[in-house]
Amino acid sequence: MQQTEEMAGALARLAAFYEHLSLESLAQLGAVYAPDAHFKDPFNEVRGHAAILAIFEHMFVQVDAPRFIVLDSMGQGSQAFLTWEFRFRMKRRVSGEQCIRGATHVRFDAQGRVVLHRDYWDVAEELYEKLPLLGAFMRMLKRASRR
C-alpha cells in the first residue's frame, strides 16, 4: 500500500473503529484487522481475530464507559502511527474518569487491513500510579529513582 488515498482510507477506518468501539461494533473487527493479525500491548500478545476480540471483550468487563480518542496519525508506505487517549471509569475503588495516553504502530496489508498492531504506553505512569495503594508506592519509587 502506498502513501495515498488508500493509506488515508485505512487510517480513517481504523480511527473510526476505535473511536466508536462498543460491544456491538466488535462485529466489524474483521473489516479492520486481517484474519491472522498480530496484536501486542503491555499486557497481551496475541494473533488472530478471536484472540483480539477476546481482549476487547475483556476490556468491556473490566472498565466502565471505555472510549478511545485518536489525537493524531501519520502514515508512510504500509505503516502508520497513531497517538490516542483511552478514557474509562474503573468499576471500583478509583473514582472519576481515568485517561491513558499512548501510541500505536500499525502495518496494513494490501486490502488496508491491520496485520500488525503494537501499542506503546507507560503502564506505571498511566495506570499503576493512579491506583490508590499501588499508586503511592509507584510514585515513591519514581521520586527515589530521580535522586
Side-chain angles (χ1 to χ4, degrees), residues 14-113:
L14 183 62
F17 175 77
Y18 275 97
E19 289 188 327
H20 299 98
L21 195 60
S22 67
L23 280 172
E24 295 77 25
S25 72
L26 289 176
Q28 300 168 17
L29 187 110
V32 179
Y33 285 85
D36 63 342
H38 180 230
F39 179 101
K40 182 173 172 59
D41 69 14
F43 299 110
N44 305 282
E45 185 167 6
V46 300
R47 186 174 293 279
H49 286 169
I52 296 169
L53 182 63
I55 290 169
F56 290 123
E57 289 173 338
H58 184 254
M59 174 190 73
F60 282 101
V61 169
Q62 292 298 110
V63 299
D64 286 328
R67 63 188 172 98
F68 287 91
I69 301 166
V70 176
L71 302 172
D72 206 358
S73 63
M74 64 178 87
Q76 181 176 357
S78 64
Q79 300 187 66
F81 270 93
L82 300 94
T83 57
W84 45 262
E85 291 181 351
F86 173 54
R87 296 185 173 269
F88 61 97
R89 294 188 183 283
M90 298 295 286
K91 292 214 178 226
R92 54 190 153 187
R93 295 197 182 147
V94 179
S95 62
E97 185 175 71
Q98 303 298 310
C99 179
I100 293 174
R101 291 168 185 84
T104 299
H105 170 230
V106 293
R107 188 176 315 130
F108 296 100
D109 65 11
Q111 290 75 43
R113 295 175 304 177

